[in-house]
Amino acid sequence: MIDLENQLAQYADHLEEHHYTPSEAHPAGSPRRRRILTLAAATVVVAGLGALAISLSGRGSVSRIEANDIITTTTNDPSPTEPEGPEDMLKTFEVLGAKVNVVTALDELPEQASVVRLSTTISDSGDGPAVCMGPSPAIAGPRRCGGFIVDGLSMDGWTQTQGDSTWGPRIVEVTWPPVDNHVSLISDTELVIPSFEDYVPPASQVEMEEFFKTIPPECADITNPTSGPALANWGRTYPDRAGLVYVVDGGPFGVMGLVGDLELVRGEFNAIGTEPCLIKVDYSFDQLEKAHAQVGELLGEDSPVVIVATGVFNRVEVTVTVADIETVRKLVEVVDDPGTLLITSVADIVE
Amino acid sequence: MFESVKQAAISEFERFTVEAHRRLWRAYLPVRGIDGADEAAAEAMAWAWEHWARLEPMENRVGYLYRVGLTRSVPRKPLPIPMKLPEPDPPQLPDVEPGLVPALLGLSENQRAAVWLVHACGWSYGEVAEALEVGKSTVGTHVTRALAALRQQLEVPTND
């Protein structure tokens, strides 16, 4: 009889040997990567408009055009290294109070998208070519491979086969929304997997890196900073007042986002001999948690929403396949404050 | 010079991804099951890709990502109760008690996660404490009680 600790290790080894699929071998791995990085760029844009405006101000601007209480639009300045063309125009819209990131050539979001473009993995489902939405960027339909079927798409010439699985990367322009889990192909082209630096605009990389490595300007004079853990403890005690908490350059300098009176809280820490770095944010943990839970209620239903996360950008980040107004409205309707939402579209809206 | 620095950063991320994904997948098994572990690990790595600049300086990246993956991989539907893991195959694992899996799944989630991360994944108490957002002493308590409960359940003699 061997000891229990080793039994656990042996069992874990066994599971890993027989059930684990390395991430690089996953058919959806590479296409997902492109989308994820597109989201990273999108997040930076919204951060510049919202909670993190202190460091990223000047990156974009919001112009308001009233139209049936729908407010549009902000265009991200494309980086020189980003591919040019309308299909790569990342825009941030404000719809019904929620921020929406989508790649589109349109000046306003349609009530319901009718043509969308997906850069993704397509797999042979047995019933036809199925879109792999992946566990991260997904909406409307089954998750992972086995999403909606693309009628009219030939899988010859760009797929690979391993065992029973056939798949390949492709850019498909299709009709939207799916009808009985089917969409019709309008056009398809090769999906070239670009290198890392083609995905994320260098400017965004630098800004993100600098943001978490740079002390906020209003805290530049602090000589005895309150540590990140101390701020985090305070934040856990007062989740109705604290928002984002992070450490600069790995610590020990901590930064805490706060709603309400900053001076009052500053005084509390000064009284114990430290100087807190406090920045104003729009929403507290409590507010975000509540919105998170409200959106989460959609998860068990036949809803377009499949991923919800409270991110570091002081918003509840929601990823949907197509962020047209109809989809956004479903999300906005369930939250108390639409401003808490940062909605990102996986597909590019064409029409 | 700048290009070579950037390439090095990319390589660093790629190296980190391969190992971290495997470690996270294994870590999630007792709290999310096989399918859930796959999803949670993917979510964690997606977040890592988005926030590499923030993650890169951290000492315990995998521990931090463990929490991220659990938070982001919100199940579409409630997890099946009781959650299932494959039973050990006796011919392949002759030394593993047949009742280990049900006994493991019978533990509280905190105890299950702690004992698994320490003994099945080889994480230090400090790493587990960070991942579970509890103190080291709490990890120790969870592990001790979990092992005691497992031994009692399996009627395994103590090692003392």
Side-chain angles (χ1 to χ4, degrees):
Chain A
M1 179 65 63
I2 63 170
D3 62 75
L4 200 48
E5 293 86 340
N6 273 338
Q7 290 192 38
L8 286 168
Q10 279 194 19
Y11 177 58
D13 287 343
H14 176 78
L15 291 179
E16 186 173 316
E17 185 181 347
H18 290 88
H19 297 278
Y20 176 64
T21 305
S23 61
E24 290 300 312
H26 193 282
S30 295
R32 280 189 58 219
R33 180 170 296 170
R34 174 186 184 273
R35 182 55 57 187
I36 289 162
L37 286 161
T38 303
L39 301 185
T43 307
V44 172
V45 177
V46 171
L49 302 173
L52 307 185
I54 293 161
S55 284
L56 304 178
S57 61
R59 180 157 175 77
S61 62
V62 179
S63 59
R64 294 187 163 211
I65 305 167
E66 300 272 348
N68 298 326
D69 73 357
I70 295 163
I71 303 170
T72 60
T73 171
T74 297
T75 302
N76 179 25
D77 296 332
S79 154
T81 59
E82 283 183 295
E84 292 184 357
E87 69 277 15
D88 290 299
M89 292 292 285
L90 173 66
K91 293 182 180 179
T92 299
F93 295 88
E94 190 173 320
V95 181
L96 304 167
K99 289 286 191 304
V100 179
N101 286 327
V102 60
V103 175
T104 177
L106 306 179
D107 292 331
E108 292 184 10
L109 290 180
E111 174 66 24
Q112 185 178 75
S114 57
V115 177
V116 301
R117 183 183 300 115
L118 290 150
S119 304
T120 184
T121 296
I122 306 286
S123 72
D124 187 352
S125 67
D127 295 325
V131 171
C132 299
M133 301 308 298
S136 181
I139 184 181
R143 307 181 72 175
R144 306 172 187 281
C145 294
F148 42 83
I149 307 293
V150 182
D151 292 335
L153 177 64
S154 166
M155 297 189 72
D156 293 338
W158 51 271
T159 56
Q160 57 179 308
T161 299
Q162 280 185 12
D164 295 334
S165 300
T166 297
W167 75 91
R170 205 68 175 164
I171 298 173
V172 291
E173 198 168 292
V174 299
T175 56
W176 194 259
V179 178
D180 295 332
N181 205 38
H182 285 247
V183 294
S184 296
L185 180 73
I186 295 173
S187 65
D188 66 302
T189 51
E190 181 184 10
L191 172 56
V192 178
I193 310 299
S195 60
F196 179 88
E197 52 267 47
D198 291 330
Y199 284 130
V200 180
S204 298
Q205 292 181 50
V206 171
E207 282 190 15
M208 289 293 293
E209 191 169 341
E210 287 305 308
F211 178 80
F212 288 112
K213 287 189 173 181
T214 307
I215 295 170
E218 65 269 53
C219 302
D221 295 334
I222 289 177
T223 55
N224 182 27
T226 309
S227 70
L231 291 174
N233 282 336
W234 192 93
R236 277 193 285 269
T237 307
Y238 301 102
D240 57 328
R241 295 158 71 188
L244 168 75
V245 178
Y246 67 95
V247 292
V248 176
D249 208 8
F253 197 109
V255 180
M256 179 164 68
L258 206 63
V259 296
D261 190 344
L262 269 58
E263 292 311 312
L264 204 61
V265 179
R266 199 185 316 278
E268 290 182 31
F269 282 99
N270 289 342
I272 58 172
T274 64
E275 303 168 79
C277 179
L278 305 175
I279 59 175
K280 199 115 180 135
V281 295
D282 296 328
Y283 298 106
S284 68
F285 282 129
D286 273 356
Q287 287 172 295
L288 292 175
E289 283 297 314
K290 187 174 183 184
H292 184 289
Q294 288 170 329
V295 174
E297 288 177 7
L298 289 173
L299 294 174
E301 302 170 9
D302 183 19
S303 156
V305 183
V306 294
I307 173 173
V308 182
T310 303
V312 297
F313 296 108
N314 199 239
R315 294 290 189 278
V316 176
E317 299 167 35
V318 184
T319 304
V320 297
T321 297
V322 177
D324 51 23
I325 292 171
E326 182 179 294
T327 302
V328 173
R329 185 175 288 119
K330 289 178 184 174
L331 295 166
V332 167
E333 284 174 353
V334 300
V335 297
D336 291 343
D337 185 345
T340 55
L341 298 183
L342 165 57
I343 301 167
T344 299
S345 182
V346 170
D348 308 347
I349 295 177
V350 178
E351 288 179 21
Chain B
M1 178 66 178
F2 176 72
E3 284 302 317
S4 63
V5 170
K6 192 162 61 176
Q7 284 301 331
I10 295 166
S11 300
E12 170 66 14
F13 180 83
E14 297 290 355
R15 279 194 295 272
F16 170 76
T17 298
V18 173
E19 178 62 12
H21 184 271
R22 185 191 63 76
R23 290 184 64 196
L24 285 166
W25 182 87
R26 183 164 171 145
Y28 289 133
L29 285 171
V31 291
R32 285 297 169 87
I34 296 282
D35 291 341
D38 194 32
E39 180 178 333
E43 291 295 351
M45 296 319 300
W47 190 94
W49 186 262
E50 284 181 66
H51 302 95
W52 178 242
R54 179 168 178 244
L55 185 68
E56 195 266 341
M58 294 184 186
E59 283 188 14
N60 183 10
R61 300 170 191 162
V62 171
Y64 188 86
L65 288 176
Y66 179 85
R67 296 298 310 170
V68 171
L70 285 182
T71 306
R72 290 181 68 102
S73 59
V74 181
R76 266 182 82 82
K77 293 179 179 176
L79 290 170
I81 298 174
M83 191 182 67
K84 290 182 179 175
L85 282 171
E87 294 287 342
D89 185 11
Q92 294 185 27
L93 292 170
D95 294 331
V96 175
E97 291 281 343
L100 178 65
V101 172
L104 181 68
L105 296 178
L107 300 173
S108 72
E109 181 167 322
N110 283 337
Q111 288 183 3
R112 198 183 330 136
V115 76
W116 183 267
L117 291 174
V118 169
H119 291 299
C121 300
W123 292 20
S124 70
Y125 276 27
E127 288 172 326
V128 177
E130 202 170 322
L132 300 183
E133 291 185 312
V134 298
K136 282 187 190 178
S137 60
T138 305
V139 173
T141 304
H142 284 328
V143 172
T144 303
R145 290 179 178 172
L147 286 174
L150 289 175
R151 288 196 172 97
Q152 185 179 22
Q153 189 80 13
L154 299 172
E155 298 180 350
V156 176
T158 63
N159 293 329
D160 300 335

